[in-house]
Every structure is written in C-alpha cells, then in structure tokens.
C-alpha cells in the first residue's frame, strides 16, 4: 500500500452515457458509488464490501454484491489504482481455449 491516508477515493469514467464510478478504500472495507455524471451530487447505485478485495468478471468490477460495468480502459485503470491501495483484485473472467 502507498503511504496515503485512508479513506482515499478516485473517480473513473464508466464509458457509458457520462456515468462515473467512484471507488473509496477505507481501513477495513471498500465502497463504490455510481454517479450519473461527474457533476452529480448523489450516486444512483452504491455497494460496499468488508475486507479489501474486489472481483473482475468480464468488463464488470464487483464490490460486494454490486457489479459495475466499465470500459476496458477504465477497468484497467481502476484495477491498477485498487492494487496500489493494497486491494486484492481477483479476475474471474472465463478464459477462452486457444
């Protein structure tokens, strides 16, 4: 983990209709909020998870029971950011046979 003070948050464009996903890492849990736009005052969807792990399935990032669709570029950025914050990100995307 970096030397940053918790909680720490970061916003990611979802790539869909201007929506933004805000991720927040806290000492023992994660929070995610989906906002209709970067200027929205309140999220349209929220999810939280105890512990510090997230899951990727296809192009969705799962935090607790919440699944959030992201563009491939935003998903990669979110995964890197979460990793830098000490969050374990599991990839459950099915691999196609060669």
């Amino acid at each position: 983990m970096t030397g940053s003070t918790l909680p720490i948050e970061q916003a990611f464009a979802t790539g869909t209709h201007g929506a933004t996903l805000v991720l927040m890492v806290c000492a023992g849990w994660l929070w995610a909020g989906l906002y209709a736009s970067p200027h929205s005052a309140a999220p349209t969807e929220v999810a939280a998870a105890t512990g510090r792990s997230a899951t990727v399935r296809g192009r969705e990032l799962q935090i607790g029971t919440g699944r959030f669709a992201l563009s491939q570029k935003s998903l990669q950025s979110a995964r890197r950011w979460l990793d830098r914050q000490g969050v374990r990100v599991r990839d459950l995307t099915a691999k196609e046979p060669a």
Side-chain angles (χ1 to χ4, degrees):
M1 175 149 150
T2 63
S4 38
T5 303
L6 296 177
I8 186 168
E9 67 179 55
Q10 181 68 40
F12 300 91
T14 64
T16 306
H17 306 292
T20 299
L21 179 66
V22 175
L23 300 174
M24 182 168 45
V25 177
C26 301
W29 56 284
L30 300 175
W31 181 90
L34 183 64
Y35 292 79
S37 80
H39 309 291
S40 297
T44 58
E45 185 178 342
V46 297
T50 57
R52 296 186 59 175
S53 66
T55 304
V56 170
R57 293 180 175 172
R59 285 184 35 200
E60 291 182 329
L61 178 64
Q62 183 172 343
I63 305 292
T65 59
R67 290 186 177 185
F68 304 94
L70 295 165
S71 69
Q72 194 63 40
K73 184 177 178 180
S74 291
L75 181 59
Q76 184 179 27
S77 295
R79 288 181 70 168
R80 287 180 181 158
W81 183 80
L82 287 168
D83 184 59
R84 285 194 307 271
Q85 307 317 313
V87 175
R88 189 183 78 161
V89 180
R90 295 181 303 153
D91 192 341
L92 299 182
T93 303
K95 305 292 185 203
E96 294 184 21

